[in-house]
Amino acid sequence: QVQLVESGGGLVQPGGSLTLSCAASGSIFSMHVMGWYRQAPGKQRDLVARITNIGTTIYADSVKGRFTISRDNAKNTVYLQMNSLKPEDTAVYYCNKVPPDFVSWGQGTQVTVSS
């Protein structure tokens, strides 16, 4: 069972950037498709980016061209580089496998985009 810890969130102004990290343990990390999900208050949790074991990436239309997902298998870590942030990007961001392992959700990391 994979365990996941997200970090790197914070407060940023519109147009700014943040990099999120997801540290994974308890599984063979390199074999999993990994993704970043986000959930705003009152909204469902949505997948915004995914990366396969060989580095193929897919993004939700809402973040395409602004966010970049990457992975470092040697460090058991997945990253999300977020650029040109918008207020609508405000959410708690989570990492997980794709499809998710529902017992492996971490605490998430809060991203707030505001002036």
Side-chain angles (χ1 to χ4, degrees):
Q1 181 181 338
V2 65
Q3 299 180 23
L4 304 163
V5 179
E6 301 91 347
S7 63
L11 175 65
V12 64
Q13 295 183 30
S17 299
L18 282 174
T19 299
L20 308 183
S21 298
C22 170
S25 64
S27 70
I28 304 175
F29 176 81
S30 63
M31 298 301 296
H32 296 299
V33 179
M34 298 296 296
W36 282 97
Y37 304 75
R38 68 184 183 187
Q39 186 170 26
K43 304 288 187 178
Q44 69 176 343
R45 190 170 299 179
D46 294 325
L47 179 67
V48 298
R50 72 184 81 180
I51 184 167
T52 72
N53 60 323
I54 60 171
T56 302
T57 58
I58 301 176
Y59 300 92
D61 287 343
S62 58
V63 308
K64 191 174 299 181
R66 301 187 297 118
F67 290 11
T68 302
I69 187 171
S70 62
R71 65 195 299 163
D72 186 337
N73 291 336
K75 297 180 179 179
N76 279 3
T77 302
V78 183
Y79 305 94
L80 187 68
Q81 175 66 50
M82 305 184 295
N83 299 322
S84 302
L85 283 162
K86 305 174 180 179
E88 52 262 45
D89 296 319
T90 296
V92 178
Y93 284 72
Y94 304 85
C95 63
N96 210 326
K97 294 183 291 184
V98 183
D101 181 344
F102 287 95
V103 302
S104 297
W105 292 112
Q107 293 290 103
T109 186
Q110 176 72 49
V111 172
T112 302
V113 184
S114 175
S115 298

